[in-house]
């Protein structure tokens, strides 16, 4: 039992996060289905915990009996067509609540008590494009034209914890699809504002800082953060805003206020207070000038609503913003096949995204809380979990649902 990582994982997510009970709350719109929604969600979630690459792989595993011990022989295993039909009509709100429950339980279990960056709990928002191809596509795909060819994709804004510890995905919001090639649809910034509102409403008091790129360097997003009582750390690039042009020139004429070393780089911080156009309260403008050991120089410009965090902490937050790219998007696309379109139509794309993110959150929490540093390589851990599935006997298996 101690060496069977599949049994340890299923025991952990069942006993700590009550995944079996939460799955029981999920339903879809099928009428008189042969296979219950609970069976289907259990099977698909297990597949994503095992990092399946496609539903063809899942179908092969079903046919070869690799999941037989997870369900009673009376109920049998769902067929792949039933899985697709269920996901197309599944109620997304129940999947969202399931992910929210996992985050809240992690908070109650003091996973985030020490914060993620210098004692603060920090999240980042970023957009990502999924399934960029000519075919297949559905009515909700974003439509673009490039060199005369038509392309379809899905895109979403994701909010994730960054910094030390588990980079848990808090939630995501899909972009509104385009009806025509020249239709701008609903942009990332509008989508991000919806997302941050929903996350703060669901997890009030959890997030101290939210980090975002230069897209959010404007008064609507800054005011949204102020209204929600969370601090914003936003990168500045080229800006046509007069107030930012003015403070940039003013800061360039000042002497640095702090300096430190970041690995092989020397960092100097320059700071000014200014009144941003369209924002009632003062904003901090900080320039970080960096010099490498070979003499190459670069700089990072940011604005922040925080008046109390040190410049060094702000620097760490801005640097940690890359975690959402490297530890979330790149990791899941390369190791969990996030960029593969498992199924199109109805609610299927969003349902699959929720289940991939839920599986990732549970996987990270299991690794952090139960394994510590015993298995540091996630590829090796997936191999051990899959091996545990094959070795598990029916009498030992911890079924994720009671259907």
């Amino acid at each position: 039992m101690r060496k069977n990582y599949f049994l340890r994982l299923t025991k952990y997510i069942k006993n700590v996060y009550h995944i079996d009970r939460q799955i029981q709350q999920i339903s879809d719109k099928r009428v008189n289905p042969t296979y219950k929604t609970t069976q289907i969600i259990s099977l698909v979630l297990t597949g994503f915990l095992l990092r399946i690459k496609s539903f063809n792989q899942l179908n092969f595993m079903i046919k070869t009996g690799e999941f037989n011990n997870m369900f009673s022989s009376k109920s049998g295993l769902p067929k792949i067509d039933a899985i697709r039909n269920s996901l197309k009509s599944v109620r997304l709100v129940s999947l969202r609540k399931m992910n929210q429950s996992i985050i809240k339980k992690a908070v109650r279990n003091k996973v985030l008590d020490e914060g993620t960056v210098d004692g603060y709990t920090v999240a980042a928002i970023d957009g990502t494009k999924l399934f960029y191809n000519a075919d297949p596509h559905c009515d909700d795909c974003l439509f673009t034209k490039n060199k005369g060819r038509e392309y379809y994709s899905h895109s979403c804004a994701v909010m994730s914890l960054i910094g030390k510890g588990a980079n848990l995905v808090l939630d995501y919001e899909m972009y509104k699809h385009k009806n025509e090639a020249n239709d701008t649809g609903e942009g990332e910034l509008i989508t991000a504002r919806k997302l941050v509102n929903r996350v703060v409403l669901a997890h009030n008091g959890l997030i101290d800082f939210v980090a975002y790129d230069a897209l959010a360097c404007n008064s609507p997003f800054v005011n949204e953060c102020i209204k929600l009582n969370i601090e914003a750390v936003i990168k500045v690039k080229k800006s046509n805003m007069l107030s930012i042009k003015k403070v940039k020139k003013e800061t360039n004429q000042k002497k640095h206020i702090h300096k430190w070393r970041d690995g092989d780089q020397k960092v100097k911080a320059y700071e000014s207070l200014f009144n941003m156009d369209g924002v009632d309260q003062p904003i901090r403008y900080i320039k970080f000038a960096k010099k490498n050991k070979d003499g190459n120089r670069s700089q990072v410009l940011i604005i922040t609503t925080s008046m109390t965090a040190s410049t060094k902490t702000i620097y760490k937050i801005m640097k940690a913003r890359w975690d959402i790219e490297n530890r979330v998007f790149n990791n899941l696309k390369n190791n969990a096949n996030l960029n593969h379109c498992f199924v199109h139509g109805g609610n299927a794309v969003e349902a699959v995204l929720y289940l991939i993110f839920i599986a990732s959150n549970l996987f990270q929490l299991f690794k952090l809380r139960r394994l510590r540093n015993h298995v540091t390589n996630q590829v090796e851990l997936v191999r051990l979990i899959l091996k545990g599935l094959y070795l598990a006997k029916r009498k030992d298996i911890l079924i994720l649902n009671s259907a």
Side-chain angles (χ1 to χ4, degrees), residues 1 4-15 20 42-43 46 49-50 65-73 75 77 384-403:
M1 173 66 179
N4 191 316
Y5 286 88
F6 179 77
L7 295 182
R8 291 179 66 182
L9 172 61
T10 53
K11 180 180 179 181
Y12 174 72
I13 65 177
K14 182 177 179 180
N15 292 352
D20 53 335
S42 295
L43 185 59
T46 303
L49 285 168
L50 297 171
E66 296 178 34
F67 296 110
N68 283 351
N69 286 336
M70 290 192 63
F71 300 92
S72 66
S73 56
S75 61
L77 290 172
L384 291 172
I385 292 172
L386 186 60
K387 179 182 177 182
L389 170 65
Y390 298 149
L391 295 176
K393 299 178 181 179
R394 182 178 292 274
K395 65 177 182 177
D396 298 324
I397 202 75
L398 296 170
I399 301 172
L400 295 183
N401 71 74
S402 57

Side-chain angles (χ1 to χ4, degrees), residues 21-63:
R21 299 181 197 171
Q22 295 188 54
I23 289 175
Q24 293 290 335
Q25 306 303 315
I26 300 173
S27 61
D28 57 42
K29 298 178 182 179
R30 293 175 301 152
V31 179
N32 298 323
T34 303
Y35 301 99
K36 294 182 179 180
T37 312
T38 52
Q39 294 173 283
I40 291 170
I41 297 300
S42 295
L43 185 59
V44 176
L45 180 61
T46 303
F48 288 144
L49 285 168
L50 297 171
R51 304 293 175 88
I52 60 168
K53 295 182 178 180
S54 67
F55 276 170
N56 285 335
Q57 181 186 355
L58 181 65
N59 190 39
F60 180 78
M61 295 176 73
I62 293 171
K63 288 183 176 180

Side-chain angles (χ1 to χ4, degrees), residues 116-117 122-124 160-164 166-167 211 317 320-324:
T116 61
V117 178
V122 184
S160 167
L161 296 181
I162 57 173
K164 68 178 183 180
N167 296 127
I317 290 173
R321 194 188 71 82
W322 289 105
D323 288 347
I324 196 170

Side-chain angles (χ1 to χ4, degrees), residues 26 30 50 71 85 108 114 134 138 174 202 208 213 227 266-267 270 281 392 403:
I26 300 173
R30 293 175 301 152
L50 297 171
F71 300 92
N85 290 334
R108 290 196 298 273
E114 296 181 2
C138 66
M174 300 298 294
D208 298 312
D213 61 22
K227 182 186 74 174
K266 294 180 180 179
V267 182
Y270 305 77
Q281 70 179 45

Side-chain angles (χ1 to χ4, degrees), residues 165-268:
N167 296 127
L168 304 178
V169 175
L170 302 176
D171 208 342
Y172 75 92
E173 179 76 21
M174 300 298 294
Y175 292 5
K176 179 182 177 183
H177 73 278
K178 301 177 181 181
N179 296 315
E180 299 176 357
N182 60 354
D183 183 7
T184 58
E186 189 175 83
E188 181 180 324
L189 190 57
I190 296 175
T191 304
R193 288 171 62 187
K194 287 183 180 179
L195 176 60
V196 72
N197 268 275
R198 189 164 69 236
V199 169
V200 171
L201 181 64
H203 307 287
N204 186 31
L206 172 62
I207 305 300
D208 298 312
F209 282 84
V210 60
Y212 208 171
D213 61 22
L215 180 69
C217 188
N218 54 62
S219 58
F221 188 82
V222 172
N223 285 329
E224 199 76 46
C225 292
I226 293 172
K227 182 186 74 174
L228 296 171
N229 198 31
I230 57 175
E231 306 290 4
V233 176
I234 301 170
K235 193 172 182 179
V236 179
K237 289 186 180 178
K238 293 182 180 179
S239 176
N240 294 323
M241 195 176 295
L242 291 177
S243 57
I244 290 183
K245 286 183 177 181
K246 182 179 178 181
V247 73
K248 182 178 180 179
K249 184 177 180 180
E250 175 188 328
T251 308
N252 286 340
Q253 297 172 351
K254 290 186 174 182
K255 293 183 178 181
H256 66 270
I257 57 172
H258 296 292
K259 64 178 180 179
W260 63 88
R261 295 193 69 88
D262 179 19
D264 293 332
Q265 292 182 323
K266 294 180 180 179
V267 182
K268 293 182 179 180

Side-chain angles (χ1 to χ4, degrees), residues 135-392:
D135 203 60
H137 63 273
C138 66
D139 292 340
D140 291 324
C141 281
L142 302 178
F143 173 54
T144 57
K145 269 191 176 182
N146 186 9
K147 296 181 180 180
R149 294 192 62 186
E150 297 180 352
Y151 292 92
Y152 298 88
S153 65
H154 286 265
S155 293
C156 63
V158 176
M159 190 169 183
S160 167
L161 296 181
I162 57 173
K164 68 178 183 180
N167 296 127
L168 304 178
V169 175
L170 302 176
D171 208 342
Y172 75 92
E173 179 76 21
M174 300 298 294
Y175 292 5
K176 179 182 177 183
H177 73 278
K178 301 177 181 181
N179 296 315
E180 299 176 357
N182 60 354
D183 183 7
T184 58
E186 189 175 83
E188 181 180 324
L189 190 57
I190 296 175
T191 304
R193 288 171 62 187
K194 287 183 180 179
L195 176 60
V196 72
N197 268 275
R198 189 164 69 236
V199 169
V200 171
L201 181 64
H203 307 287
N204 186 31
L206 172 62
I207 305 300
D208 298 312
F209 282 84
V210 60
Y212 208 171
D213 61 22
L215 180 69
C217 188
N218 54 62
S219 58
F221 188 82
V222 172
N223 285 329
E224 199 76 46
C225 292
I226 293 172
K227 182 186 74 174
L228 296 171
N229 198 31
I230 57 175
E231 306 290 4
V233 176
I234 301 170
K235 193 172 182 179
V236 179
K237 289 186 180 178
K238 293 182 180 179
S239 176
N240 294 323
M241 195 176 295
L242 291 177
S243 57
I244 290 183
K245 286 183 177 181
K246 182 179 178 181
V247 73
K248 182 178 180 179
K249 184 177 180 180
E250 175 188 328
T251 308
N252 286 340
Q253 297 172 351
K254 290 186 174 182
K255 293 183 178 181
H256 66 270
I257 57 172
H258 296 292
K259 64 178 180 179
W260 63 88
R261 295 193 69 88
D262 179 19
D264 293 332
Q265 292 182 323
K266 294 180 180 179
V267 182
K268 293 182 179 180
Y270 305 77
E271 182 175 341
S272 298
L273 280 181
F274 77 110
N275 292 311
M276 186 176 183
D277 297 340
V279 180
D280 291 336
Q281 70 179 45
I283 302 292
R284 289 169 72 186
Y285 176 92
I286 307 175
K287 179 178 79 172
F288 297 106
K290 299 186 289 183
K291 183 179 179 181
N292 297 329
K293 63 179 181 179
D294 58 6
N296 291 332
R297 298 174 185 269
S298 62
Q299 63 180 19
V300 178
L301 312 176
I302 68 99
I303 60 171
T304 179
T305 57
S306 174
M307 296 295 162
T308 56
S310 68
T311 52
K312 195 170 184 178
T313 294
I314 299 298
Y315 175 80
K316 290 180 181 178
I317 290 173
M318 204 66 241
K319 188 175 179 181
R321 194 188 71 82
W322 289 105
D323 288 347
I324 196 170
E325 284 281 353
N326 299 326
R327 297 188 186 178
V328 180
F329 296 152
N330 289 346
N331 177 41
L332 291 181
K333 287 180 180 181
N334 292 329
N335 298 310
N337 230 20
L338 176 65
N339 206 33
H340 174 75
C341 185
F342 286 83
V343 57
H344 261 303
N347 292 338
V349 169
E350 294 185 65
V352 166
L353 284 180
Y354 266 122
L355 289 169
I356 289 176
F357 290 147
I358 288 169
S360 173
N361 288 345
L362 291 171
F363 187 93
Q364 288 186 75
L365 289 165
F366 171 66
K367 187 172 180 292
L368 177 69
R369 302 287 282 183
R370 286 294 183 267
L371 301 186
R372 310 294 180 179
N373 293 320
H374 297 162
V375 183
T376 57
N377 189 309
Q378 65 171 320
V379 175
E380 175 64 10
L381 179 55
V382 171
R383 188 190 70 81
L384 291 172
I385 292 172
L386 186 60
K387 179 182 177 182
L389 170 65
Y390 298 149
L391 295 176

